[in-house]
Amino acid sequence: MTWCEGQAYRSGLSALAMQHLMLTAAMVVLFVCTKAYVNQIRRQQARCTVVIIGAGPVGLTSVLIASRNPHVERIILYEEESRHALVNKAHQIAFDRNTLKFLKGLNVDFDNMEGSTEKGIFYTRIGIFLEHLFNRLARLPVPLHLHMDTKFTRERVQEVEGVKGRKVVLACDGSTGEAARLLGLSDEFEQTSCRAFGAVASMDRADQCSVPMPERRYHGLVFDLSAYGIDTSEMTDTSPGFTLKLFGSSRHRYMSLAIPKSESLLVKNMRLILDRSMMRNIFIKCFNTCRASSEKEVSETWALRHMKFSPRLFDIKLFQRRETVAYFEDADMFVLAEGEAARCYNIHTGLDVNMALKGLMTLCSLLDMAACAQTEYDVMSAMVMKARHSETTARSYLTKGLTTVLFSSGYS
C-alpha cells in the first residue's frame, strides 16, 4: 500500500469513527429525550387515592387540598361522628394571620363566615367553620366517598389496603385517635419541655349564647398566697410574673395561666402544694378582674359547680409523634399523621388549631411526590420531605410558639 493509499484509508477510518460517534450521540440524545418524555407522561398520568380519617378542621382542610391536586383521582373520608354533631360543636377556634392566608388560598370565605376579627386574628365557632367546609364538599372537582358515623377500625384498615393503586392515608383524628396506630405508625411520642409552667381552667355557662369573643391577655400577675399558710414575707422574687389569657366564646370560657420556668418561691409553692381551693380562687380572681365589661362576676359557689381547673402548676410540654410518615410497599400506601395526631401541647391557648393546620402546608407537594414516586429513592424523598417539615413545625413552636400565643402582647 502506497503512502497515498494509506492516508486515504486512515481518512476513511476517521470519517467512519466520526459517523459512529455522531450516531451514538444522536441515540443517546434520543434516549434521553424519550425517557424524559415518557417520565413526563407518567407524571401527568400518575394517580392516587387519598383517604382521610377525621372530619375536624384538619381533616376537612385536607380534603380541600387533595381535591385541588391533579394527581388525586378520588377522596375517601371516614368520620366517627355525624355531620349534625360536628356542625353543632360550640367551642371557639381562632386563626392567626398566616393560617388565614393559607386557608384563603384554598378559597375559604371568611368574609361570609360568622365570627369576629381583632388584630389580625379571626375568631369563630368550630361548628360554623366545619359547616362552611362541609358545604364546599358538594362542589369538589374529584369524587368524594363520605363515610359519616363510621368508626375507623381494623376492618376499615383492610378496606383501605384493598383499594387499587397508590394510596395516601392521613390520620387526622386527634390526640386520642387510634387511626395512626392502626395504620402502622409507631404510637411513641417524644415529650419536650417548653421551659414554662402553666395551669388551665374552663367554665361552661349554659345561660349564655356561643358568641365568638376576642381574647384578652394580661402580664406580670403575682398572687398573694398568705391566706393558705404560705409565708410571703421572704418572697423577693424578681420574675416578671404570670401571664393570663382569657378566651373562648361567651358560653365556653377558658383561662390559661403560664410563666417561664423559674425557681421563685411563688412558683415552687404553686407547683408543689395541692390545694384545690387555692387554684380555684386564683382563677376566680383572675376572671373577675380581667373579664369583659359585659360579663358577670363569678362567685365561689358557682365556681364549685361549674369550673374545671388544674389543681396546681404543671410543666408545659409539646408531645410529638416520633414517626409521622411511613410507606408500606405491600399495600402501596403512604401513611401520614396530621394535626393533633402528630403533635399537641398539654396547655390550651385558644390558637392550638394553627399548629395543626401548619402541618398541612406541604401536603400538596407530598401528594405530587407520592403519586409520581417510581423508585425507592422517590419514595424516600417524599417521606424525608414530610418528616423534615413535621420536625420544623414542632421546633418552630418550641422556640416561639408560647411566646406568640401567650407571653407576648403581639399577634402573628
Side-chain angles (χ1 to χ4, degrees), residues 120-163:
I121 295 181
F122 183 81
Y123 304 89
T124 188
R125 184 167 58 82
I126 187 172
I128 292 173
F129 179 68
L130 293 179
E131 185 171 29
H132 175 82
L133 297 187
F134 269 119
N135 290 337
R136 293 278 305 279
L137 301 187
R139 304 189 299 273
L140 295 182
V142 298
L144 171 66
H145 304 274
L146 194 57
H147 301 279
M148 304 300 293
D149 291 302
T150 304
K151 184 177 178 60
F152 195 77
T153 61
R154 293 189 183 278
E155 289 71 22
R156 300 299 176 187
V157 174
Q158 294 175 357
E159 288 181 9
V160 172
E161 291 176 341
V163 173

mmCIF file of all heavy atoms in Angstrom, residues 120-163:
data_model
loop_
_atom_site.group_PDB
_atom_site.id
_atom_site.type_symbol
_atom_site.label_atom_id
_atom_site.label_comp_id
_atom_site.label_asym_id
_atom_site.label_seq_id
_atom_site.Cartn_x
_atom_site.Cartn_y
_atom_site.Cartn_z
ATOM 1 N N GLY A 120 -55.874 41.006 63.482
ATOM 2 C CA GLY A 120 -55.421 40.004 62.527
ATOM 3 C C GLY A 120 -55.819 38.578 62.849
ATOM 4 O O GLY A 120 -55.503 37.666 62.093
ATOM 5 N N ILE A 121 -56.513 38.355 63.963
ATOM 6 C CA ILE A 121 -56.966 37.012 64.338
ATOM 7 C C ILE A 121 -58.471 36.904 64.118
ATOM 8 O O ILE A 121 -59.231 37.804 64.501
ATOM 9 C CB ILE A 121 -56.623 36.692 65.802
ATOM 10 C CG1 ILE A 121 -55.109 36.648 66.002
ATOM 11 C CG2 ILE A 121 -57.224 35.355 66.231
ATOM 12 C CD1 ILE A 121 -54.663 36.310 67.402
ATOM 13 N N PHE A 122 -58.895 35.809 63.494
ATOM 14 C CA PHE A 122 -60.309 35.576 63.236
ATOM 15 C C PHE A 122 -60.828 34.538 64.222
ATOM 16 O O PHE A 122 -60.290 33.432 64.329
ATOM 17 C CB PHE A 122 -60.520 35.083 61.801
ATOM 18 C CG PHE A 122 -61.966 34.890 61.435
ATOM 19 C CD1 PHE A 122 -62.747 35.968 61.056
ATOM 20 C CD2 PHE A 122 -62.554 33.630 61.485
ATOM 21 C CE1 PHE A 122 -64.092 35.799 60.729
ATOM 22 C CE2 PHE A 122 -63.889 33.451 61.159
ATOM 23 C CZ PHE A 122 -64.656 34.547 60.775
ATOM 24 N N TYR A 123 -61.880 34.900 64.958
ATOM 25 C CA TYR A 123 -62.487 34.025 65.957
ATOM 26 C C TYR A 123 -63.853 33.572 65.461
ATOM 27 O O TYR A 123 -64.654 34.378 64.990
ATOM 28 C CB TYR A 123 -62.678 34.758 67.289
ATOM 29 C CG TYR A 123 -61.421 35.364 67.859
ATOM 30 C CD1 TYR A 123 -61.031 36.660 67.516
ATOM 31 C CD2 TYR A 123 -60.614 34.642 68.736
ATOM 32 C CE1 TYR A 123 -59.876 37.220 68.039
ATOM 33 C CE2 TYR A 123 -59.460 35.195 69.264
ATOM 34 C CZ TYR A 123 -59.094 36.489 68.907
ATOM 35 O OH TYR A 123 -57.945 37.032 69.425
ATOM 36 N N THR A 124 -64.113 32.273 65.562
ATOM 37 C CA THR A 124 -65.422 31.762 65.189
ATOM 38 C C THR A 124 -65.704 30.481 65.956
ATOM 39 O O THR A 124 -64.825 29.942 66.635
ATOM 40 C CB THR A 124 -65.505 31.510 63.677
ATOM 41 O OG1 THR A 124 -66.855 31.192 63.311
ATOM 42 C CG2 THR A 124 -64.603 30.343 63.263
ATOM 43 N N ARG A 125 -66.926 30.007 65.850
ATOM 44 C CA ARG A 125 -67.290 28.744 66.485
ATOM 45 C C ARG A 125 -66.851 27.606 65.573
ATOM 46 O O ARG A 125 -66.987 27.683 64.351
ATOM 47 C CB ARG A 125 -68.801 28.708 66.731
ATOM 48 C CG ARG A 125 -69.292 27.478 67.465
ATOM 49 C CD ARG A 125 -70.732 27.668 67.953
ATOM 50 N NE ARG A 125 -71.645 27.966 66.886
ATOM 51 C CZ ARG A 125 -72.200 27.065 66.076
ATOM 52 N NH1 ARG A 125 -71.880 25.777 66.216
ATOM 53 N NH2 ARG A 125 -73.049 27.413 65.137
ATOM 54 N N ILE A 126 -66.308 26.548 66.153
ATOM 55 C CA ILE A 126 -65.782 25.456 65.351
ATOM 56 C C ILE A 126 -66.850 24.855 64.445
ATOM 57 O O ILE A 126 -66.575 24.481 63.305
ATOM 58 C CB ILE A 126 -65.143 24.362 66.248
ATOM 59 C CG1 ILE A 126 -64.449 23.307 65.381
ATOM 60 C CG2 ILE A 126 -66.165 23.733 67.186
ATOM 61 C CD1 ILE A 126 -63.635 22.317 66.191
ATOM 62 N N GLY A 127 -68.086 24.794 64.923
ATOM 63 C CA GLY A 127 -69.163 24.247 64.111
ATOM 64 C C GLY A 127 -69.437 25.086 62.870
ATOM 65 O O GLY A 127 -69.747 24.556 61.801
ATOM 66 N N ILE A 128 -69.309 26.408 62.996
ATOM 67 C CA ILE A 128 -69.509 27.305 61.848
ATOM 68 C C ILE A 128 -68.440 27.058 60.792
ATOM 69 O O ILE A 128 -68.725 26.976 59.591
ATOM 70 C CB ILE A 128 -69.493 28.772 62.319
ATOM 71 C CG1 ILE A 128 -70.723 29.056 63.187
ATOM 72 C CG2 ILE A 128 -69.428 29.728 61.139
ATOM 73 C CD1 ILE A 128 -70.721 30.418 63.838
ATOM 74 N N PHE A 129 -67.195 26.927 61.239
ATOM 75 C CA PHE A 129 -66.097 26.665 60.298
ATOM 76 C C PHE A 129 -66.292 25.323 59.601
ATOM 77 O O PHE A 129 -66.134 25.211 58.376
ATOM 78 C CB PHE A 129 -64.765 26.699 61.050
ATOM 79 C CG PHE A 129 -63.568 26.429 60.183
ATOM 80 C CD1 PHE A 129 -63.172 27.331 59.219
ATOM 81 C CD2 PHE A 129 -62.839 25.258 60.333
ATOM 82 C CE1 PHE A 129 -62.063 27.090 58.412
ATOM 83 C CE2 PHE A 129 -61.730 24.993 59.536
ATOM 84 C CZ PHE A 129 -61.344 25.917 58.570
ATOM 85 N N LEU A 130 -66.649 24.287 60.365
ATOM 86 C CA LEU A 130 -66.840 22.966 59.771
ATOM 87 C C LEU A 130 -68.020 22.952 58.804
ATOM 88 O O LEU A 130 -67.964 22.305 57.755
ATOM 89 C CB LEU A 130 -67.044 21.923 60.871
ATOM 90 C CG LEU A 130 -65.831 21.657 61.775
ATOM 91 C CD1 LEU A 130 -66.188 20.626 62.843
ATOM 92 C CD2 LEU A 130 -64.638 21.183 60.956
ATOM 93 N N GLU A 131 -69.091 23.661 59.134
ATOM 94 C CA GLU A 131 -70.247 23.706 58.236
ATOM 95 C C GLU A 131 -69.866 24.362 56.906
ATOM 96 O O GLU A 131 -70.290 23.911 55.834
ATOM 97 C CB GLU A 131 -71.398 24.469 58.884
ATOM 98 C CG GLU A 131 -72.671 24.465 58.060
ATOM 99 C CD GLU A 131 -73.851 25.022 58.803
ATOM 100 O OE1 GLU A 131 -73.639 25.883 59.679
ATOM 101 O OE2 GLU A 131 -74.987 24.609 58.514
ATOM 102 N N HIS A 132 -69.050 25.404 56.970
ATOM 103 C CA HIS A 132 -68.585 26.043 55.737
ATOM 104 C C HIS A 132 -67.802 25.051 54.877
ATOM 105 O O HIS A 132 -68.003 24.977 53.656
ATOM 106 C CB HIS A 132 -67.713 27.251 56.078
ATOM 107 C CG HIS A 132 -67.089 27.902 54.879
ATOM 108 N ND1 HIS A 132 -67.758 28.800 54.074
ATOM 109 C CD2 HIS A 132 -65.855 27.755 54.326
ATOM 110 C CE1 HIS A 132 -66.966 29.195 53.087
ATOM 111 N NE2 HIS A 132 -65.806 28.573 53.216
ATOM 112 N N LEU A 133 -66.926 24.275 55.504
ATOM 113 C CA LEU A 133 -66.143 23.303 54.744
ATOM 114 C C LEU A 133 -67.019 22.171 54.216
ATOM 115 O O LEU A 133 -66.835 21.718 53.079
ATOM 116 C CB LEU A 133 -65.025 22.739 55.621
ATOM 117 C CG LEU A 133 -63.965 23.741 56.107
ATOM 118 C CD1 LEU A 133 -62.831 23.011 56.812
ATOM 119 C CD2 LEU A 133 -63.413 24.568 54.964
ATOM 120 N N PHE A 134 -67.974 21.706 55.018
ATOM 121 C CA PHE A 134 -68.889 20.664 54.548
ATOM 122 C C PHE A 134 -69.656 21.132 53.309
ATOM 123 O O PHE A 134 -69.871 20.358 52.370
ATOM 124 C CB PHE A 134 -69.873 20.270 55.652
ATOM 125 C CG PHE A 134 -69.400 19.143 56.519
ATOM 126 C CD1 PHE A 134 -69.214 19.331 57.882
ATOM 127 C CD2 PHE A 134 -69.145 17.896 55.992
ATOM 128 C CE1 PHE A 134 -68.774 18.291 58.693
ATOM 129 C CE2 PHE A 134 -68.706 16.844 56.786
ATOM 130 C CZ PHE A 134 -68.519 17.051 58.148
ATOM 131 N N ASN A 135 -70.075 22.388 53.305
ATOM 132 C CA ASN A 135 -70.812 22.912 52.154
ATOM 133 C C ASN A 135 -69.942 22.950 50.899
ATOM 134 O O ASN A 135 -70.460 22.871 49.781
ATOM 135 C CB ASN A 135 -71.344 24.313 52.463
ATOM 136 C CG ASN A 135 -72.455 24.293 53.499
ATOM 137 O OD1 ASN A 135 -73.122 23.271 53.685
ATOM 138 N ND2 ASN A 135 -72.642 25.398 54.193
ATOM 139 N N ARG A 136 -68.630 23.048 51.086
ATOM 140 C CA ARG A 136 -67.723 23.038 49.942
ATOM 141 C C ARG A 136 -67.572 21.644 49.334
ATOM 142 O O ARG A 136 -67.207 21.507 48.157
ATOM 143 C CB ARG A 136 -66.338 23.532 50.384
ATOM 144 C CG ARG A 136 -66.258 24.999 50.799
ATOM 145 C CD ARG A 136 -66.130 25.898 49.595
ATOM 146 N NE ARG A 136 -64.999 25.523 48.743
ATOM 147 C CZ ARG A 136 -63.730 25.872 48.979
ATOM 148 N NH1 ARG A 136 -63.429 26.613 50.023
ATOM 149 N NH2 ARG A 136 -62.771 25.508 48.153
ATOM 150 N N LEU A 137 -67.845 20.605 50.127
ATOM 151 C CA LEU A 137 -67.604 19.245 49.655
ATOM 152 C C LEU A 137 -68.473 18.868 48.458
ATOM 153 O O LEU A 137 -68.070 18.049 47.630
ATOM 154 C CB LEU A 137 -67.844 18.241 50.787
ATOM 155 C CG LEU A 137 -66.990 18.401 52.052
ATOM 156 C CD1 LEU A 137 -67.220 17.237 53.003
ATOM 157 C CD2 LEU A 137 -65.511 18.523 51.706
ATOM 158 N N ALA A 138 -69.649 19.465 48.363
ATOM 159 C CA ALA A 138 -70.559 19.119 47.254
ATOM 160 C C ALA A 138 -70.058 19.649 45.923
ATOM 161 O O ALA A 138 -70.538 19.217 44.863
ATOM 162 C CB ALA A 138 -71.954 19.671 47.548
ATOM 163 N N ARG A 139 -69.075 20.560 45.955
ATOM 164 C CA ARG A 139 -68.597 21.186 44.709
ATOM 165 C C ARG A 139 -67.153 20.802 44.388
ATOM 166 O O ARG A 139 -66.482 21.493 43.620
ATOM 167 C CB ARG A 139 -68.721 22.704 44.816
ATOM 168 C CG ARG A 139 -70.131 23.190 45.134
ATOM 169 C CD ARG A 139 -70.249 24.688 45.012
ATOM 170 N NE ARG A 139 -69.365 25.392 45.943
ATOM 171 C CZ ARG A 139 -69.699 25.698 47.182
ATOM 172 N NH1 ARG A 139 -70.882 25.321 47.666
ATOM 173 N NH2 ARG A 139 -68.863 26.367 47.959
ATOM 174 N N LEU A 140 -66.684 19.709 44.944
ATOM 175 C CA LEU A 140 -65.313 19.302 44.689
ATOM 176 C C LEU A 140 -65.144 18.795 43.255
ATOM 177 O O LEU A 140 -66.056 18.177 42.699
ATOM 178 C CB LEU A 140 -64.896 18.196 45.669
ATOM 179 C CG LEU A 140 -64.832 18.567 47.156
ATOM 180 C CD1 LEU A 140 -64.349 17.379 47.971
ATOM 181 C CD2 LEU A 140 -63.921 19.767 47.383
ATOM 182 N N PRO A 141 -63.976 19.018 42.646
ATOM 183 C CA PRO A 141 -63.747 18.559 41.268
ATOM 184 C C PRO A 141 -63.400 17.076 41.170
ATOM 185 O O PRO A 141 -63.224 16.573 40.052
ATOM 186 C CB PRO A 141 -62.564 19.428 40.820
ATOM 187 C CG PRO A 141 -61.824 19.739 42.075
ATOM 188 C CD PRO A 141 -62.869 19.852 43.155
ATOM 189 N N VAL A 142 -63.270 16.375 42.292
ATOM 190 C CA VAL A 142 -62.971 14.938 42.272
ATOM 191 C C VAL A 142 -64.035 14.209 43.094
ATOM 192 O O VAL A 142 -64.656 14.787 43.983
ATOM 193 C CB VAL A 142 -61.568 14.645 42.852
ATOM 194 C CG1 VAL A 142 -60.493 15.305 42.021
ATOM 195 C CG2 VAL A 142 -61.462 15.096 44.302
ATOM 196 N N PRO A 143 -64.260 12.921 42.816
ATOM 197 C CA PRO A 143 -65.258 12.157 43.575
ATOM 198 C C PRO A 143 -64.872 12.053 45.053
ATOM 199 O O PRO A 143 -63.704 11.826 45.391
ATOM 200 C CB PRO A 143 -65.247 10.779 42.904
ATOM 201 C CG PRO A 143 -64.669 11.011 41.545
ATOM 202 C CD PRO A 143 -63.693 12.131 41.704
ATOM 203 N N LEU A 144 -65.859 12.217 45.924
ATOM 204 C CA LEU A 144 -65.657 12.096 47.369
ATOM 205 C C LEU A 144 -66.598 11.024 47.910
ATOM 206 O O LEU A 144 -67.810 11.085 47.704
ATOM 207 C CB LEU A 144 -65.933 13.427 48.070
ATOM 208 C CG LEU A 144 -65.971 13.390 49.600
ATOM 209 C CD1 LEU A 144 -64.603 13.044 50.172
ATOM 210 C CD2 LEU A 144 -66.462 14.722 50.163
ATOM 211 N N HIS A 145 -66.025 10.044 48.611
ATOM 212 C CA HIS A 145 -66.817 8.999 49.265
ATOM 213 C C HIS A 145 -66.817 9.301 50.759
ATOM 214 O O HIS A 145 -65.801 9.160 51.437
ATOM 215 C CB HIS A 145 -66.215 7.626 48.979
ATOM 216 C CG HIS A 145 -66.077 7.320 47.518
ATOM 217 N ND1 HIS A 145 -67.096 6.770 46.772
ATOM 218 C CD2 HIS A 145 -65.045 7.516 46.656
ATOM 219 C CE1 HIS A 145 -66.693 6.622 45.512
ATOM 220 N NE2 HIS A 145 -65.452 7.074 45.424
ATOM 221 N N LEU A 146 -67.964 9.751 51.250
ATOM 222 C CA LEU A 146 -68.078 10.244 52.618
ATOM 223 C C LEU A 146 -68.704 9.186 53.513
ATOM 224 O O LEU A 146 -69.818 8.724 53.255
ATOM 225 C CB LEU A 146 -68.932 11.517 52.621
ATOM 226 C CG LEU A 146 -68.929 12.393 53.866
ATOM 227 C CD1 LEU A 146 -67.531 12.848 54.217
ATOM 228 C CD2 LEU A 146 -69.846 13.600 53.638
ATOM 229 N N HIS A 147 -67.976 8.783 54.556
ATOM 230 C CA HIS A 147 -68.472 7.772 55.494
ATOM 231 C C HIS A 147 -68.603 8.406 56.877
ATOM 232 O O HIS A 147 -67.687 8.371 57.692
ATOM 233 C CB HIS A 147 -67.518 6.578 55.556
ATOM 234 C CG HIS A 147 -67.293 5.892 54.244
ATOM 235 N ND1 HIS A 147 -68.178 4.967 53.718
ATOM 236 C CD2 HIS A 147 -66.291 6.011 53.330
ATOM 237 C CE1 HIS A 147 -67.725 4.537 52.560
ATOM 238 N NE2 HIS A 147 -66.578 5.160 52.302
ATOM 239 N N MET A 148 -69.776 9.014 57.139
ATOM 240 C CA MET A 148 -70.035 9.601 58.453
ATOM 241 C C MET A 148 -70.566 8.524 59.397
ATOM 242 O O MET A 148 -71.029 7.462 58.958
ATOM 243 C CB MET A 148 -71.038 10.745 58.329
ATOM 244 C CG MET A 148 -70.623 11.843 57.353
ATOM 245 S SD MET A 148 -69.066 12.656 57.794
ATOM 246 C CE MET A 148 -69.539 13.496 59.303
ATOM 247 N N ASP A 149 -70.526 8.803 60.696
ATOM 248 C CA ASP A 149 -70.966 7.833 61.720
ATOM 249 C C ASP A 149 -70.224 6.507 61.549
ATOM 250 O O ASP A 149 -70.791 5.434 61.780
ATOM 251 C CB ASP A 149 -72.477 7.583 61.634
ATOM 252 C CG ASP A 149 -73.279 8.798 62.068
ATOM 253 O OD1 ASP A 149 -73.101 9.242 63.217
ATOM 254 O OD2 ASP A 149 -74.060 9.304 61.246
ATOM 255 N N THR A 150 -68.969 6.576 61.160
ATOM 256 C CA THR A 150 -68.201 5.364 60.876
ATOM 257 C C THR A 150 -66.893 5.389 61.657
ATOM 258 O O THR A 150 -66.001 6.198 61.342
ATOM 259 C CB THR A 150 -67.900 5.230 59.373
ATOM 260 O OG1 THR A 150 -69.129 5.271 58.635
ATOM 261 C CG2 THR A 150 -67.178 3.934 59.073
ATOM 262 N N LYS A 151 -66.771 4.532 62.634
ATOM 263 C CA LYS A 151 -65.542 4.448 63.414
ATOM 264 C C LYS A 151 -64.472 3.737 62.599
ATOM 265 O O LYS A 151 -64.743 2.729 61.937
ATOM 266 C CB LYS A 151 -65.793 3.702 64.728
ATOM 267 C CG LYS A 151 -64.591 3.648 65.668
ATOM 268 C CD LYS A 151 -64.954 2.956 66.969
ATOM 269 C CE LYS A 151 -63.761 2.843 67.894
ATOM 270 N NZ LYS A 151 -63.194 4.165 68.271
ATOM 271 N N PHE A 152 -63.263 4.266 62.637
ATOM 272 C CA PHE A 152 -62.170 3.664 61.878
ATOM 273 C C PHE A 152 -61.563 2.524 62.698
ATOM 274 O O PHE A 152 -60.937 2.740 63.735
ATOM 275 C CB PHE A 152 -61.096 4.704 61.546
ATOM 276 C CG PHE A 152 -60.140 4.255 60.487
ATOM 277 C CD1 PHE A 152 -60.498 4.259 59.149
ATOM 278 C CD2 PHE A 152 -58.866 3.801 60.828
ATOM 279 C CE1 PHE A 152 -59.622 3.849 58.161
ATOM 280 C CE2 PHE A 152 -57.979 3.383 59.855
ATOM 281 C CZ PHE A 152 -58.360 3.398 58.514
ATOM 282 N N THR A 153 -61.762 1.298 62.228
ATOM 283 C CA THR A 153 -61.333 0.101 62.939
ATOM 284 C C THR A 153 -60.375 -0.709 62.066
ATOM 285 O O THR A 153 -60.038 -0.312 60.954
ATOM 286 C CB THR A 153 -62.548 -0.769 63.284
ATOM 287 O OG1 THR A 153 -63.197 -1.157 62.047
ATOM 288 C CG2 THR A 153 -63.551 -0.005 64.147
ATOM 289 N N ARG A 154 -59.959 -1.863 62.565
ATOM 290 C CA ARG A 154 -59.072 -2.739 61.784
ATOM 291 C C ARG A 154 -59.744 -3.196 60.492
ATOM 292 O O ARG A 154 -59.087 -3.389 59.471
ATOM 293 C CB ARG A 154 -58.669 -3.952 62.625
ATOM 294 C CG ARG A 154 -57.779 -3.588 63.811
ATOM 295 C CD ARG A 154 -57.226 -4.824 64.496
ATOM 296 N NE ARG A 154 -56.432 -4.478 65.661
ATOM 297 C CZ ARG A 154 -55.159 -4.093 65.629
ATOM 298 N NH1 ARG A 154 -54.540 -4.007 64.458
ATOM 299 N NH2 ARG A 154 -54.505 -3.791 66.727
ATOM 300 N N GLU A 155 -61.069 -3.382 60.545
ATOM 301 C CA GLU A 155 -61.788 -3.768 59.332
ATOM 302 C C GLU A 155 -61.698 -2.661 58.273
ATOM 303 O O GLU A 155 -61.572 -2.931 57.073
ATOM 304 C CB GLU A 155 -63.252 -4.067 59.651
ATOM 305 C CG GLU A 155 -63.486 -5.344 60.441
ATOM 306 C CD GLU A 155 -63.031 -5.245 61.894
ATOM 307 O OE1 GLU A 155 -62.927 -4.097 62.399
ATOM 308 O OE2 GLU A 155 -62.769 -6.299 62.514
ATOM 309 N N ARG A 156 -61.748 -1.398 58.733
ATOM 310 C CA ARG A 156 -61.625 -0.273 57.792
ATOM 311 C C ARG A 156 -60.211 -0.205 57.221
ATOM 312 O O ARG A 156 -60.019 0.186 56.068
ATOM 313 C CB ARG A 156 -61.975 1.045 58.507
ATOM 314 C CG ARG A 156 -63.379 1.082 59.064
ATOM 315 C CD ARG A 156 -64.410 0.928 57.977
ATOM 316 N NE ARG A 156 -65.766 0.874 58.529
ATOM 317 C CZ ARG A 156 -66.850 0.603 57.822
ATOM 318 N NH1 ARG A 156 -66.732 0.356 56.523
ATOM 319 N NH2 ARG A 156 -68.037 0.557 58.390
ATOM 320 N N VAL A 157 -59.227 -0.566 58.026
ATOM 321 C CA VAL A 157 -57.850 -0.608 57.528
ATOM 322 C C VAL A 157 -57.750 -1.580 56.365
ATOM 323 O O VAL A 157 -57.122 -1.299 55.332
ATOM 324 C CB VAL A 157 -56.866 -1.010 58.647
ATOM 325 C CG1 VAL A 157 -55.451 -1.194 58.067
ATOM 326 C CG2 VAL A 157 -56.846 0.037 59.752
ATOM 327 N N GLN A 158 -58.389 -2.746 56.504
ATOM 328 C CA GLN A 158 -58.373 -3.736 55.427
ATOM 329 C C GLN A 158 -59.068 -3.196 54.179
ATOM 330 O O GLN A 158 -58.635 -3.466 53.049
ATOM 331 C CB GLN A 158 -59.037 -5.025 55.903
ATOM 332 C CG GLN A 158 -58.265 -5.732 57.018
ATOM 333 C CD GLN A 158 -58.995 -6.939 57.560
ATOM 334 O OE1 GLN A 158 -60.124 -7.243 57.158
ATOM 335 N NE2 GLN A 158 -58.360 -7.644 58.483
ATOM 336 N N GLU A 159 -60.146 -2.438 54.374
ATOM 337 C CA GLU A 159 -60.828 -1.822 53.232
ATOM 338 C C GLU A 159 -59.879 -0.881 52.485
ATOM 339 O O GLU A 159 -59.804 -0.894 51.254
ATOM 340 C CB GLU A 159 -62.050 -1.030 53.702
ATOM 341 C CG GLU A 159 -63.220 -1.868 54.156
ATOM 342 C CD GLU A 159 -64.385 -0.991 54.570
ATOM 343 O OE1 GLU A 159 -64.310 0.238 54.336
ATOM 344 O OE2 GLU A 159 -65.356 -1.525 55.133
ATOM 345 N N VAL A 160 -59.165 -0.051 53.257
ATOM 346 C CA VAL A 160 -58.248 0.915 52.652
ATOM 347 C C VAL A 160 -57.121 0.199 51.922
ATOM 348 O O VAL A 160 -56.759 0.560 50.793
ATOM 349 C CB VAL A 160 -57.689 1.862 53.732
ATOM 350 C CG1 VAL A 160 -56.583 2.734 53.157
ATOM 351 C CG2 VAL A 160 -58.806 2.723 54.308
ATOM 352 N N GLU A 161 -56.556 -0.818 52.546
ATOM 353 C CA GLU A 161 -55.468 -1.563 51.915
ATOM 354 C C GLU A 161 -55.923 -2.237 50.628
ATOM 355 O O GLU A 161 -55.127 -2.449 49.712
ATOM 356 C CB GLU A 161 -54.919 -2.603 52.887
ATOM 357 C CG GLU A 161 -54.168 -1.999 54.069
ATOM 358 C CD GLU A 161 -53.708 -3.049 55.067
ATOM 359 O OE1 GLU A 161 -54.270 -4.178 55.052
ATOM 360 O OE2 GLU A 161 -52.805 -2.744 55.872
ATOM 361 N N GLY A 162 -57.217 -2.568 50.538
ATOM 362 C CA GLY A 162 -57.750 -3.230 49.355
ATOM 363 C C GLY A 162 -58.048 -2.293 48.197
ATOM 364 O O GLY A 162 -58.354 -2.755 47.089
ATOM 365 N N VAL A 163 -57.978 -0.975 48.436
ATOM 366 C CA VAL A 163 -58.206 -0.015 47.346
ATOM 367 C C VAL A 163 -57.085 -0.151 46.322
ATOM 368 O O VAL A 163 -55.902 -0.188 46.666
ATOM 369 C CB VAL A 163 -58.258 1.427 47.900
ATOM 370 C CG1 VAL A 163 -58.319 2.438 46.762
ATOM 371 C CG2 VAL A 163 -59.453 1.595 48.829
#
